[in-house]
């Protein structure tokens, strides 16, 4: 039994060596037709990295020829299957533009958008690919509204949008943490304007109020009254939108402090005007 196993191992090993040497021979010295045949063979065997090397060599020779449609699609799929998602998105998008009448154009359009999604990094990093994915997914739904991928595309859009929301929220929150309260108020205002239905809306309104509170309490007398009133409005807006907010008890107490400060400022202003 062991001899049979050893024989099979040697046979497989020899076959692999022959296959590799055959691949290298075609890659380095084969003609265009041989390289095309080998590239297709590697692709169908799911040896995508090897397929890509051959496709790169033969692409100039097949440009403008009927085979190019198939080559370009296999190139895109090969990059996708090797998790080179930015390149996959580029090649799928190129395929869609070059072959709008292809039977694979709808699939390619979706995979282009999905590749951008897969390339999208965590929220704290640059979101260029996230925005590209959002645009591509929205365009896909617009162009193929009856596609069986629409439900999945909408879920992906929701996930990508939340990632952008999270980034904007964390930037605004960072301003609050470093005590740049003017920038924090502005950033939270922008967030609330850009993402009306965000699941982070309650938290954003809370931190906006906290930033406005600190700004009002610690302002110079010349700006104190206006900023105190703005902070009170921010708390009232939070309460109006979230009457059962987990932040209500805390913010009501801070609002009392704001009102007391406002009374003092108003009294001082009246006294100064009387002089």
């Amino acid at each position: 039994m062991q001899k049979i196993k050893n024989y099979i191992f040697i046979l497989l090993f020899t076959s692999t060596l022959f296959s590799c040497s055959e691949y290298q021979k075609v890659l380095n010295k084969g003609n265009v037709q041989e390289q095309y045949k080998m590239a297709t063979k590697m692709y169908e065997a799911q040896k995508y990295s090897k397929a890509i090397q051959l496709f790169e060599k033969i692409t100039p020779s097949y440009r403008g020829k009927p085979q190019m449609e198939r080559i370009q699609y296999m190139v895109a799929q090969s990059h996708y299957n090797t998790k080179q998602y930015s390149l996959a998105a580029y090649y799928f998008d190129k395929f869609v533009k070059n072959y709008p009448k292809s039977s694979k154009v709808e699939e390619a359009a979706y995979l282009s958008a999905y590749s951008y999604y897969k390339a999208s990094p965590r929220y704290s990093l640059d979101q260029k690919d996230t925005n590209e994915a959002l645009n591509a997914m929205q365009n896909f739904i617009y162009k193929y509204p009856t596609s069986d991928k629409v439900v999945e595309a909408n879920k992906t859009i929701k996930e990508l949008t939340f990632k952008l929301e999270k980034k904007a929220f964390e930037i605004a929150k960072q301003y609050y943490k470093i005590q740049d309260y003017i920038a924090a108020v502005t950033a939270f205002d922008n967030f609330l304007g850009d993402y009306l239905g965000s699941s982070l809306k309650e938290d954003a309104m809370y931190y906006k109020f906290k930033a406005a509170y600190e700004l009002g309490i610690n302002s110079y007398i010349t700006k104190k009254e206006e900023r105190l009133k703005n902070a009170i409005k921010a708390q009232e807006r939070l309460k109006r939108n979230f009457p059962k907010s987990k932040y209500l008890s805390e913010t009501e107490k801070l609002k009392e402090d704001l009102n007391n400060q406002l009374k003092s400022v108003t009294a001082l202003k009246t006294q100064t005007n009387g002089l």
Side-chain angles (χ1 to χ4, degrees), residues 22-32 34-35 57:
E22 183 189 7
Y23 169 80
Q24 288 297 332
K25 181 180 177 181
V26 173
L27 176 67
N28 296 319
K29 296 182 180 179
N31 60 41
V32 174
E34 289 170 336
Q35 289 174 340
K57 295 197 77 169

Side-chain angles (χ1 to χ4, degrees), residues 59-92:
T59 292
S61 299
Y62 282 99
R63 194 166 284 126
K65 296 181 179 179
Q67 296 93 327
M68 194 59 203
E69 179 180 339
R70 188 179 180 212
I71 290 170
Q72 201 167 98
Y73 185 82
M74 288 191 289
V75 168
Q77 277 283 10
S78 295
H79 284 296
Y80 181 83
N81 288 316
T82 52
K83 299 183 179 181
Q84 300 178 79
Y85 295 118
S86 293
L87 282 171
Y90 168 78
Y91 282 110
F92 278 124

Side-chain angles (χ1 to χ4, degrees), residues 8-265:
I8 292 172
F9 174 77
I10 292 168
L11 192 65
L12 289 171
F13 182 71
T14 305
S15 175
T16 302
L17 280 179
F18 176 77
S19 177
C20 288
S21 62
E22 183 189 7
Y23 169 80
Q24 288 297 332
K25 181 180 177 181
V26 173
L27 176 67
N28 296 319
K29 296 182 180 179
N31 60 41
V32 174
Q33 290 77 17
E34 289 170 336
Q35 289 174 340
Y36 174 76
K37 186 177 179 181
M38 179 62 74
T40 303
K41 181 180 177 181
M42 292 293 104
Y43 176 82
E44 290 172 348
Q46 299 183 7
K47 296 178 180 179
Y48 300 112
S49 294
K50 288 185 175 181
I52 288 169
Q53 290 184 66
L54 285 160
F55 284 133
E56 286 174 349
K57 295 197 77 169
I58 65 174
T59 292
S61 299
Y62 282 99
R63 194 166 284 126
K65 296 181 179 179
Q67 296 93 327
M68 194 59 203
E69 179 180 339
R70 188 179 180 212
I71 290 170
Q72 201 167 98
Y73 185 82
M74 288 191 289
V75 168
Q77 277 283 10
S78 295
H79 284 296
Y80 181 83
N81 288 316
T82 52
K83 299 183 179 181
Q84 300 178 79
Y85 295 118
S86 293
L87 282 171
Y90 168 78
Y91 282 110
F92 278 124
D93 189 47
K94 190 174 180 181
F95 179 89
V96 170
K97 290 174 181 174
N98 289 344
Y99 304 102
K101 295 182 180 179
S102 170
S103 61
K104 290 185 176 292
V105 69
E106 180 181 327
E107 181 184 357
Y110 178 77
L111 286 173
S112 172
Y114 195 73
S115 295
Y116 279 121
Y117 161 71
K118 295 291 282 185
S120 172
R122 57 178 310 211
Y123 75 85
S124 58
L125 301 176
D126 180 73
Q127 295 301 303
K128 179 179 179 292
D129 283 322
T130 303
N131 284 306
E132 292 279 9
L134 265 175
N135 289 333
M137 281 293 176
Q138 288 164 348
N139 287 336
F140 174 80
I141 291 172
Y142 176 77
K143 195 167 184 179
Y144 303 101
T146 60
S147 171
D148 58 2
K149 293 290 186 182
V150 166
V151 172
E152 190 176 344
N154 277 316
K155 288 181 181 177
T156 304
I157 286 171
K158 188 175 180 180
E159 184 180 337
L160 292 165
T161 302
F162 181 75
K163 191 179 289 190
L164 295 178
E165 289 176 18
K166 182 70 172 172
K167 185 176 180 67
F169 176 83
E170 291 297 334
I171 289 172
K173 191 175 177 181
Q174 187 60 30
Y175 284 129
Y176 173 78
K177 286 182 177 178
I178 63 172
Q179 300 180 9
D180 188 347
Y181 299 123
I182 294 175
V185 168
T186 301
F188 280 119
D189 271 339
N190 290 337
F191 174 87
L192 292 165
D194 292 340
Y195 304 106
L196 297 174
S198 173
S199 60
L200 298 170
K201 184 176 181 178
E202 181 181 356
D203 294 323
M205 294 183 80
Y206 166 72
Y207 280 107
K208 183 204 166 177
F209 164 70
K210 289 274 284 183
Y213 170 86
E214 294 293 344
L215 195 58
I217 291 295
N218 297 297
S219 285
Y220 290 111
I221 193 66
T222 53
K223 294 185 177 180
K224 199 173 186 72
E225 182 179 9
E226 180 187 0
R227 288 176 174 175
L228 288 169
K229 287 179 178 178
N230 287 339
I232 291 168
K233 286 179 183 177
Q235 194 277 340
E236 289 171 346
R237 185 182 175 194
L238 169 63
K239 184 177 180 179
R240 187 166 58 251
N241 281 271
F242 299 96
K244 295 182 180 180
S245 173
K246 59 186 175 182
Y247 300 120
L248 208 56
S249 178
E250 177 192 352
T251 59
E252 287 285 5
K253 290 176 182 177
L254 294 175
K255 183 184 173 184
E256 287 180 21
D257 191 15
L258 290 167
N259 279 318
N260 290 333
Q261 288 272 340
L262 186 58
K263 287 177 184 176
S264 298
V265 170

